[in-house]
Amino acid sequence: MAEGMNSLQGIGMTSQRTRGRMIERLREQGIRDERVLAAIAAVPRHIFVEPALSHRAYEDTALPLILGQTISQPYVVARMIELLLAGRGGLGKTLEVGAGCGYQAAVLAMLSKDVYAVERIAPLLSRARENLRQLRLSQVRLKHADGNQGLVEASPYDTIIVAAAAARVPQTLLDQLAPGGRLILPVGGGQEQVLSLIERTPEGFKETRFDAVRFVPLLPGVE
């Protein structure tokens, strides 16, 4: 039991003190929502990265995963979730598109009791399942699926967060957004990507664009 706890709490470069420094850096970069900061502080990022890179887990940078994918930069995760939460009491039922290794899903699970996450790459999904199992996050439901299609059987969602860049906002995801719900995703190609926040209002969809970002593309199909 003690050994398992040590692996989650971390030692040295993955210690609680190291995590604390990451949270302070996020504050310095403008993240203000204490709910978001507490959620990120609660998730042991080192269990989600490749073992050879665990000493870099609490750097504010994206890190490589298998098959050319990456674990998102902590600041970008925090920024997207803070924008989704602004002026709201919570995230409500949440869909994540692009679960990757499960890191962002774990952060979302700290803020919502109902998280669905889809991933198109089967080996990555297996990693995510194992990582989330270590944290006993049973409220995260994972599915091997094409993220462009969302997850219609569990819709509508109060929150949709997309961890890959689309040339345009997929209509299928807009259709799965509940009234008053919010969707955030990077829009654009190459180095011309920006965060787009879309809210479903009684008058229709309202879009607001924010920071420049860099994400892998949202590809169709499954692997």
Side-chain angles (χ1 to χ4, degrees):
M1 180 68 174
E3 182 180 349
M5 287 299 291
N6 283 340
S7 70
L8 294 181
Q9 293 172 355
I11 56 174
M13 292 303 291
T14 60
S15 68
Q16 193 64 45
R17 180 179 297 177
T18 306
R19 283 193 230 179
R21 286 198 293 269
M22 181 181 73
I23 298 304
E24 288 310 309
R25 286 195 297 272
L26 294 178
R27 281 198 175 97
E28 289 167 5
Q29 292 178 86
I31 302 300
R32 295 285 178 264
D33 194 318
E34 291 297 327
R35 296 171 294 178
V36 177
L37 293 167
I40 289 182
V43 175
R45 192 173 186 248
H46 62 275
I47 74 168
F48 293 91
V49 304
E50 296 300 297
L53 295 172
S54 63
H55 64 289
R56 299 187 60 193
Y58 298 98
E59 294 178 10
D60 186 31
T61 186
L63 294 171
L65 298 169
I66 60 172
L67 301 172
Q69 302 302 298
T70 59
I71 179 173
S72 295
Q73 177 187 359
Y75 171 77
V76 173
V77 173
R79 175 67 169 152
M80 292 174 79
I81 297 175
E82 185 171 64
L83 289 171
L84 287 166
L85 275 171
R88 301 167 87 191
L91 294 174
K93 185 197 289 187
T94 299
L95 172 66
E96 180 194 28
V97 173
C101 61
Y103 172 66
Q104 185 168 257
V107 176
L108 292 167
M110 301 294 144
L111 296 160
S112 173
K113 294 179 180 178
D114 211 2
V115 178
Y116 295 81
V118 296
E119 172 55 53
R120 64 182 294 272
I121 301 174
L124 261 183
L125 188 69
S126 295
R127 293 274 186 99
R129 286 190 197 282
E130 180 55 36
N131 292 337
L132 294 168
R133 192 176 295 122
Q134 289 186 64
L135 299 181
R136 297 181 174 87
L137 293 176
S138 59
Q139 73 267 46
V140 181
R141 301 166 182 86
L142 296 167
K143 184 167 184 180
H144 185 217
D146 179 353
N148 287 277
Q149 304 305 315
L151 192 61
V152 68
E153 59 261 39
S155 65
Y157 303 97
D158 302 299
T159 297
I160 300 177
I161 183 167
V162 183
R168 62 188 63 82
V169 183
Q171 184 63 44
T172 49
L173 297 183
L174 293 174
D175 292 343
Q176 292 173 41
L177 201 59
R182 288 179 180 173
L183 160 68
I184 195 165
L185 80 166
V187 175
Q191 299 186 24
E192 302 294 324
Q193 300 174 11
V194 295
L195 283 181
S196 175
L197 179 72
I198 298 161
E199 186 165 11
R200 187 167 202 163
T201 73
E203 293 75 36
F205 294 105
K206 175 187 176 184
E207 180 179 13
T208 309
R209 296 200 165 191
F210 294 92
D211 325 19
V213 286
R214 187 75 180 272
F215 279 79
V216 297
L218 180 64
L219 298 176
V222 294
E223 296 179 10

